[in-house]
């Protein structure tokens, strides 16, 4: 059984942390933000950010239920609904989910809180093949049996439901004072982040629940409950991050016995440890096998940029024995081709720093293994020596840290609202409202081919691309003039430089050199020529990322 398609799935994460009449739950805010960030990670599930709704402190019943109903209408594979906050009972002992204005009196709860039955109804009516409800609140066990066989008996195509609750029907849930997360969600996040060492490459919901249950029991905390209907517990929802290095193709991922910070005296020791097998080449790996296994960053190319968690790495070739560039680099060179393949396969790349690299990030002597990175993008540039070079942007895989925004970014915020901000690079976020405006201006039709993707539920889908990327070294602006609305195919082709756009907004096939379409624009969305030129320059050798201005 494969992992459910994230593009056909939806998640709604709801957290009520602020209350007028009950004590606040600040950990709940961190619950929903962190869980949302994990679900959109490619190494966990890869849920598109626009398919993961993070809702904080909903004002009323409609504000909580409407996003669930919309997600239920759109999802065809998995619908996941999560709630964290106060759970209260009404005079009939029925479960209600807390709102900021929820009263601390059972007689008032039926109109100041959200009846769980409203959530159940919205979830039950979804056509999603698997429907998952996770409740982290007091008395949450009362949700068990509300999605039982009677609810599903009329359906000829059996659709599964899986409910996990943080506490039994008559028990309180636990939110330790001063803790980062609530007790139950702490264990859920731990499983998602770290995986299960003795499980397979994909984790079933049953395995996730069992690990949470065992950890809560071992710590003497309220034991969670679950209910599985129609084998929904066998759905393999999350990638098992504990198995990444074990199940990746030979040579990829971490090498057992050599954790981050491991030191090596020489390239020979790196070779013997299989951390970096070549004794001279800086790139290890083959395009045919899935991409680069490892790279060494040790001052070999003057155009390299080492920012710690972000690396701008210069490709291989074109140097003489004195490390001077004497000819253009070739993208078909085996090392460069391997790094190009890594962009699409997403296999992690081991990064080793040598003592001759950037002083701030390199060891004082020998070599040091500094963790796994992904290759995000590449471009052409004119190097310091005047010849064409290939440059690759690598970002460190981060399994622990919460998202942050660099202080020099125009998007600086004290925290990240995942409902508004979309990660586009490490620590860099794009405003989804700007991208949404661009897509709506074109009715979700690709500006190159006119294709509009639409789900059976009528939901139109498109993607956006910044012509001048937001992360370093490009530092483009997050404005509509720098954004295109495109289909997935043309987004990939633009990212890889397979197509470019000339000043007349004609789209050029860079393989054949021939125009094949005119970029669609309208009165609601214009495209800035400076950004068109910047993108074109990246793949025709005239751009110098990081210098600003127009490269043309």
């Amino acid at each position: 059984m494969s992992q459910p398609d994230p593009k056909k799935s939806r998640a709604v994460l709801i957290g009520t942390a602020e209350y007028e009449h009950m004590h606040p739950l600040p950990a709940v805010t961190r619950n929903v933000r962190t869980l949302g960030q994990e679900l959109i990670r490619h190494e966990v599930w890869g849920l598109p950010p626009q398919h993961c709704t993070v809702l904080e402190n909903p004002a009323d019943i409609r504000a909580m239920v409407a996003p669930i109903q919309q997600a239920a209408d759109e999802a065809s594979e998995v619908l996941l609904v999560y709630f964290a906050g106060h759970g209260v009972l009404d005079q009939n002992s029925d479960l209600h989910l807390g709102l900021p204005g929820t009263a601390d009196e059972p007689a008032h709860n039926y109109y100041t809180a959200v009846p769980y039955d409203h959530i159940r109804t919205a979830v039950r009516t979804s056509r999603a093949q698997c429907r998952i409800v996770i409740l982290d609140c007091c008395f949450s066990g009362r949700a068990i049996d509300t999605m039982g066989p009677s609810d599903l008996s009329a359906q000829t195509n059996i659709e599964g439901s899986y409910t996990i609750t943080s506490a039994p029907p008559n028990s309180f849930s636990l939110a330790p004072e001063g803790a980062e997360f609530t007790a139950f969600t702490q264990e859920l996040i731990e499983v998602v982040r770290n995986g299960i060492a003795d499980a397979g490459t994909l984790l079933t919901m049953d395995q996730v629940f069992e690990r949470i249950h065992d950890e809560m029991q071992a710590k003497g905390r309220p034991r969670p409950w679950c209910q599985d209907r129609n084998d929904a517990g066998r759905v393999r929802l999350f990638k098992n991050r504990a198995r990444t290095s074990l199940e990746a193709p030979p040579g990829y991922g971490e090498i057992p016995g050599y954790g981050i910070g491991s030191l090596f005296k020489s390239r020979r020791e790196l070779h013997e440890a299989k951390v970096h097998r070549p004794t001279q080449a800086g790139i290890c790996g083959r395009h045919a096998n899935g991409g680069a296994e490892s790279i060494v960053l040790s001052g070999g190319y003057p155009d390299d940029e080492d920012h710690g968690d972000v690396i701008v790495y210069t490709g291989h070739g074109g140097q003489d024995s004195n490390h001077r560039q004497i000819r253009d680099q070739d993208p078909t060179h085996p090392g460069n081709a391997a790094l190009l393949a890594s962009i699409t396969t997403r296999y992690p790349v081991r990064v080793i720093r040598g003592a001759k690299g950037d002083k701030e990030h390199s060891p004082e002597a020998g070599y040091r293994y500094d963790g796994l990175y992904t290759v995000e993008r590449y471009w052409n540039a004119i190097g310091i020596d005047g010849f064409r070079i290939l440059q690759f942007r690598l970002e460190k895989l981060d399994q622990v840290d919460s998202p942050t925004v660099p202080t020099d970014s125009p998007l600086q915020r004290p925290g990240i609202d995942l409902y508004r901000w979309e990660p586009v690079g490490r620590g860099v976020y794009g405003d989804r409202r700007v991208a949404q405006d661009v897509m709506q201006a074109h009715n979700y039709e690709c500006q190159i081919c006119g294709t509009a993707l639409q789900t059976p539920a009528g939901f139109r889908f498109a993607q956006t691309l910044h012509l001048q990327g937001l992360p370093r070294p490009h530092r483009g602006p997050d404005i509509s003039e720098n954004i295109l609305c495109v289909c997935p195919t043309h987004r990939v082709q633009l990212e890889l430089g397979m197509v470019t756009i000339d000043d007349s907004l004609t789209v050029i096939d860079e393989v054949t050199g021939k125009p094949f379409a005119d970029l669609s624009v309208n009165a609601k969305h214009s495209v800035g020529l400076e950004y068109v030129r910047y993108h074109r320059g990246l793949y025709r050798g005239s751009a110098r990322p990081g210098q600003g201005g127009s490269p043309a």
Side-chain angles (χ1 to χ4, degrees):
M1 184 183 297
S2 60
Q3 186 182 35
D5 186 349
K7 295 180 181 179
K8 299 178 181 179
S9 303
R10 300 291 187 272
V12 181
L13 312 179
I14 306 166
T16 306
E18 301 173 1
Y19 296 88
E20 299 173 13
H21 309 292
M22 294 185 287
H23 64 272
L25 299 171
V28 164
T29 298
R30 294 186 287 271
N31 281 3
V32 292
R33 292 181 179 181
T34 303
L35 189 58
Q37 185 65 29
E38 293 298 327
L39 294 183
I40 66 178
R41 292 185 188 276
H42 291 285
E43 59 269 29
V44 174
W45 188 8
L47 197 67
Q50 67 269 27
H51 295 173
C52 183
T53 299
V54 177
L55 179 61
E56 298 181 25
N57 302 308
D60 51 33
I61 292 176
R62 183 182 183 280
M64 183 183 292
V65 178
I68 297 174
Q69 188 63 64
Q70 180 178 348
D73 292 341
E74 295 172 356
S76 60
E77 292 216 0
V78 172
L79 171 65
L80 187 153
V81 176
Y82 165 94
F83 171 83
H86 281 302
V88 296
L89 304 179
D90 66 7
Q91 289 180 310
N92 297 320
S93 296
D94 290 330
L95 175 65
H96 287 57
L97 308 183
L99 296 168
T102 294
D104 196 14
E105 291 288 340
H108 300 159
N109 286 339
Y110 77 94
Y111 64 88
T112 63
V114 178
Y116 176 71
D117 186 64
H118 288 14
I119 310 300
R120 178 192 68 84
T121 299
V123 172
R124 184 170 61 88
T125 57
S126 175
R127 64 189 179 87
Q129 296 177 17
C130 178
R131 298 162 297 171
I132 300 168
V133 176
I134 302 176
L135 301 179
D136 186 357
C137 61
C138 297
F139 314 116
S140 53
R142 291 174 183 263
I144 298 297
D145 283 328
T146 62
M147 293 183 66
S150 61
D151 296 326
L152 303 170
S153 59
Q155 301 182 24
T156 56
N157 294 320
I158 295 177
E159 297 176 330
S161 64
Y162 199 83
T163 306
I164 299 179
T165 68
S166 62
N170 297 312
S171 295
F172 293 100
S173 196
L174 186 62
E177 185 174 356
E180 182 179 12
F181 307 111
T182 59
F184 169 84
T185 298
Q186 171 71 54
E187 303 303 335
L188 172 61
I189 291 173
E190 285 294 323
V191 174
V192 171
R193 279 180 170 173
N194 302 319
I196 302 174
D198 56 354
T201 57
L202 294 173
L203 297 177
T204 67
M205 290 306 301
D206 279 338
Q207 290 171 321
V208 171
F209 171 77
E210 289 168 5
R211 173 53 60 93
I212 296 172
H213 178 275
D214 292 348
E215 290 295 323
M216 295 286 281
Q217 182 178 25
K219 296 175 181 178
R221 293 176 168 177
R223 282 187 261 180
W225 282 27
C226 82
Q227 182 178 59
D228 180 6
R229 296 296 181 188
N230 307 315
D231 289 331
R234 298 174 60 187
V235 172
R236 302 180 184 275
L237 188 59
F238 303 127
K239 296 174 185 175
N240 186 2
R241 298 177 79 169
R243 299 287 296 182
T244 298
S245 60
L246 299 178
E247 300 296 336
Y252 293 91
E254 292 187 337
I255 303 300
Y258 298 98
I260 294 177
S262 296
L263 296 173
F264 304 85
K265 294 180 180 179
S266 64
R267 292 288 292 266
R268 173 56 60 179
E269 285 193 3
L270 283 169
H271 167 77
E272 292 175 352
K274 298 182 180 179
V275 174
H276 185 76
R277 294 185 286 113
T279 56
Q280 291 185 340
I283 305 171
C284 176
R286 296 178 57 200
H287 181 281
N289 289 345
E293 300 175 14
S294 57
I295 62 170
V296 172
L297 191 66
S298 189
Y301 288 87
D303 295 283
D304 287 345
E305 297 180 27
D306 192 348
H307 303 286
D309 290 342
V310 174
I311 296 169
V312 178
Y313 185 78
T314 305
H316 184 77
Q319 285 190 330
D320 62 13
S321 58
N322 294 317
H323 298 290
R324 292 178 302 187
Q325 202 76 28
I326 59 174
R327 61 179 178 273
D328 292 343
Q329 290 187 342
D330 185 352
T332 64
H333 182 282
N336 298 332
L339 286 169
L340 285 168
S342 298
I343 297 175
T344 55
T345 64
R346 308 295 299 172
Y347 288 159
V349 178
R350 293 185 298 277
V351 168
I352 297 93
R353 288 183 170 91
K356 296 181 181 180
D358 184 280
K359 292 183 179 180
E360 181 179 356
H361 303 292
S362 301
E364 294 183 0
Y367 298 86
R368 184 184 66 220
Y369 168 57
D370 280 349
L372 299 176
Y373 286 64
T374 55
V375 186
E376 297 295 327
R377 295 190 68 178
Y378 96 101
W379 57 88
N380 292 317
I382 302 302
I384 291 174
D385 293 326
F387 292 90
R388 186 184 75 162
I389 58 174
L390 302 177
Q391 291 193 300
F392 299 85
R393 176 187 169 88
L394 286 82
E395 297 184 6
K396 191 171 186 178
L397 280 175
D398 183 2
Q399 300 183 10
V400 178
D401 295 341
S402 299
T404 58
V405 175
T407 56
D408 60 348
S409 168
L411 305 182
Q412 182 178 4
R413 293 290 185 279
I416 299 302
D417 176 4
L418 291 175
Y419 190 69
R420 173 177 175 182
W421 301 103
E422 177 180 5
V424 294
R426 181 180 176 82
V428 180
Y429 295 78
D431 191 336
R432 290 183 184 162
R433 298 175 306 174
V434 178
Q436 187 69 24
D437 287 345
V438 171
M439 290 187 288
Q440 289 178 349
H442 296 278
N443 196 25
Y444 298 88
E445 295 177 359
C446 176
Q447 288 182 250
I448 294 177
C449 66
T451 298
L453 303 179
Q454 183 168 308
T455 69
F459 176 73
R460 292 172 76 89
F461 173 78
Q463 294 185 327
T464 56
L465 173 94
H466 287 85
L467 290 165
Q468 181 176 348
L470 303 188
R472 291 181 297 193
H474 308 288
R475 296 184 181 275
D478 190 26
I479 59 177
S480 61
E481 291 84 353
N482 187 31
I483 297 175
L484 295 183
C485 173
V486 288
C487 66
T489 297
H490 283 120
R491 174 172 175 165
V492 171
Q493 290 181 335
L494 286 162
E495 287 180 336
L496 296 179
M498 298 166 64
V499 299
T500 60
I501 304 167
D502 67 16
D503 283 5
S504 64
L505 300 187
T506 298
V507 185
I508 309 298
D509 184 333
E510 286 293 324
V511 177
T512 64
K514 297 180 180 180
F516 68 92
D518 291 323
L519 192 71
S520 174
V521 295
N522 57 47
K524 296 180 180 180
H525 174 231
S526 60
V527 179
L529 281 182
E530 61 268 42
Y531 309 117
V532 167
R533 291 168 181 164
Y534 190 96
H535 174 270
R536 186 171 69 238
L538 292 177
Y539 303 103
R540 291 190 185 175
S542 59
R544 289 302 304 277
Q547 291 188 347
S550 172

